[in-house]
Amino acid sequence: MSAPRSMAGGLAGLLRRTRALIRKETRQLLRDFSSIAIGIVMPVTLLILFGYGINLDVRNVPVALLMEENSAPARGVAAAFELSPYFSTRSVRTMNEAEKMLMSAEVRAIVRIPADFARSIDLGTAEVQVIINGADANTARISLGYAQGAVAVWAAKEAGRNGTAAGGVTVEPRLWFNEANDSSYFLVPGLIVLVMTLIGALLTALVMAREWERGTFEALFVTPVRPAEILLGKTVPYFALGLIGLALCVVGSKLLFGVPLRGSLVILTIVSMLYLLVALGLGLVISSATRSQFVASQVTVLLTFLPAMMLSGFMYDPRSMPWIVQMITYIFPARYFVTLLQTLFLSGNNWSVILPNAAVLAGMAAALLTLSVRLTRKRIA
């Protein structure tokens, strides 16, 4: 009898001790917000943002619609584009106005119905000109297919209604900024964003969090060096490393992939420095707020690297995302840097795009660097 009782007592003690340890760890887990964030908040955030953000469909392509004549066939073709779920049309009066909108990225394509469209249908030589921003080769191909489909649907309806063959109408495509329709023209500038994000935000956050964990900062704080000077000394080497990475990417994009740089190299360097300052500021803020390498790495990946890849326009067109996700994309600095790089590489010095996006990055850099200094001072206090 003593042996079974001894075994039962041992099992009861095991369960009691295990229960006590589980309660202790549960209380510690509930007190540790970082663990809850990684286990609950991060999966839900990733599911919502990237579930809606990753969208290979192309919808609501902004199009400038130019009708150079007001005939019934011209109005029919225009209506085919206006009623299509794949296009969001904006009527313009002149080709010059349409080209300016395409250059400033207000639209991604121009649909031009020429002045002799109705007469050309009778001659069987009618054409609808479609000029597409070819920076994103995949989106350009899909958009062109949708445009050809819209014209073909109108032609089929017209033939069925009148018993005449309107099928002679063809689409005359033109690609701007990427005549070769090469996807590397679109992807390589986006890769620069990822490289700068890794160097500026992730590497800085990890290194600075390690300094907090080891207590190195506390040792520096007892010296006459000020917090701003400490942060400056810590981040300047990574700023220089980021510029070296930028130079390698620019040279590699030209020599290895043949991607043209149609804008100014000086302007490219300036806007890249602005984004690098933003990335460094994010790394400093995250490391100062977490003071843990593990938590800093998770938060940095969630707030910088993943948005730079999925929500910046690097891989997926934000215009195809739900409107609320489109609004969220404007929170992330990579959205502005991707636009700047694609403009400078493929379009040139388009100031209507460069100035507002660079101004946003400058504002973000100033705000984040100021916040990082204040957080460091708070930690000292």
Side-chain angles (χ1 to χ4, degrees), residues 114-137:
D116 58 347
F117 184 69
R119 184 173 63 86
S120 298
I121 291 177
D122 297 332
L123 298 175
T125 60
E127 291 183 342
V128 175
Q129 187 180 39
V130 178
I131 303 173
I132 300 178
N133 183 335
D136 184 350

Side-chain angles (χ1 to χ4, degrees), residues 8-344:
L11 181 60
L14 173 64
L15 293 175
R16 186 172 58 256
R17 291 189 297 271
T18 304
R19 216 170 22 244
L21 288 172
I22 292 174
R23 282 198 300 268
K24 170 186 171 295
E25 291 300 324
T26 301
R27 293 194 197 99
Q28 185 172 343
L29 175 64
L30 294 176
R31 288 196 298 265
D32 185 5
F33 176 76
S34 62
S35 298
I36 297 175
I38 293 172
I40 298 176
V41 178
M42 181 181 289
V44 173
T45 304
L46 291 175
L47 179 65
I48 294 175
L49 285 184
F50 301 133
Y52 285 112
I54 300 175
N55 190 344
L56 298 177
D57 298 329
V58 178
R59 292 182 179 273
N60 299 318
V61 178
V63 171
L65 182 59
L66 174 62
M67 293 175 55
E68 295 182 344
E69 73 170 28
N70 196 31
S71 63
R75 290 195 301 271
V77 173
F81 282 91
E82 291 170 346
L83 297 176
S84 172
Y86 304 110
F87 297 106
S88 175
T89 59
R90 297 175 60 178
S91 297
V92 295
R93 297 187 176 215
T94 64
M95 192 63 182
N96 185 48
E97 181 185 356
E99 290 177 352
K100 287 181 179 179
M101 294 174 67
L102 187 61
M103 289 289 294
S104 62
E106 293 181 52
V107 298
R108 294 195 65 89
I110 300 172
V111 175
R112 175 175 171 264
I113 304 172
D116 58 347
F117 184 69
R119 184 173 63 86
S120 298
I121 291 177
D122 297 332
L123 298 175
T125 60
E127 291 183 342
V128 175
Q129 187 180 39
V130 178
I131 303 173
I132 300 178
N133 183 335
D136 184 350
N138 182 61
T139 301
R141 283 192 292 266
I142 296 174
S143 300
L144 179 58
Y146 289 156
Q148 292 170 334
V151 173
V153 168
W154 169 82
K157 289 182 178 178
E158 197 69 13
R161 182 184 302 114
N162 301 328
T164 59
V169 179
T170 59
V171 173
E172 179 195 354
R174 286 181 57 192
L175 290 178
W176 278 20
F177 315 129
N178 185 5
E179 295 81 2
N181 205 23
D182 189 344
S183 60
S184 62
Y185 281 31
F186 173 73
L187 294 176
V188 170
L191 291 173
I192 297 178
V193 179
L194 298 185
V195 171
M196 302 286 280
T197 301
L198 284 173
I199 296 175
L202 185 58
L203 186 59
T204 302
L206 289 174
V207 172
M208 300 297 278
R210 182 183 64 194
E211 299 290 341
W212 283 109
E213 285 183 340
R214 292 179 175 178
T216 309
F217 272 123
E218 283 78 357
L220 288 173
F221 291 151
V222 299
T223 67
V225 183
R226 297 178 180 178
E229 297 169 347
I230 294 174
L231 294 180
L232 184 63
K234 291 285 186 180
T235 54
V236 165
Y238 298 100
F239 184 80
L241 183 62
L243 293 181
I244 294 173
L246 171 67
L248 292 175
C249 288
V250 172
V251 173
S253 66
K254 180 67 176 177
L255 297 181
L256 299 179
F257 302 100
V259 179
L261 177 58
R262 296 183 174 127
S264 168
L265 181 61
V266 174
I267 298 175
L268 175 65
T269 303
I270 292 173
V271 298
S272 299
M273 291 170 68
L274 288 175
Y275 180 73
L276 191 55
L277 288 174
V278 173
L280 289 169
L282 278 169
L284 291 173
V285 169
I286 292 170
S287 62
S288 297
T290 60
R291 295 205 293 182
S292 165
Q293 285 191 81
F294 174 72
V295 178
S297 65
Q298 301 298 312
V299 174
T300 305
V301 168
L302 179 63
L303 295 182
T304 62
F305 185 75
L306 288 178
M309 179 179 291
M310 315 298 278
L311 300 178
S312 65
F314 163 51
M315 295 186 67
Y316 309 101
D317 188 355
R319 294 186 181 96
S320 299
M321 302 174 186
W323 70 269
I324 189 168
V325 179
Q326 292 184 42
M327 296 300 102
I328 292 174
T329 62
Y330 288 104
I331 299 174
F332 302 107
R335 170 73 188 268
Y336 305 95
F337 192 39
V338 165
T339 301
L340 285 166
L341 287 179
Q342 291 175 350
T343 300
L344 287 168

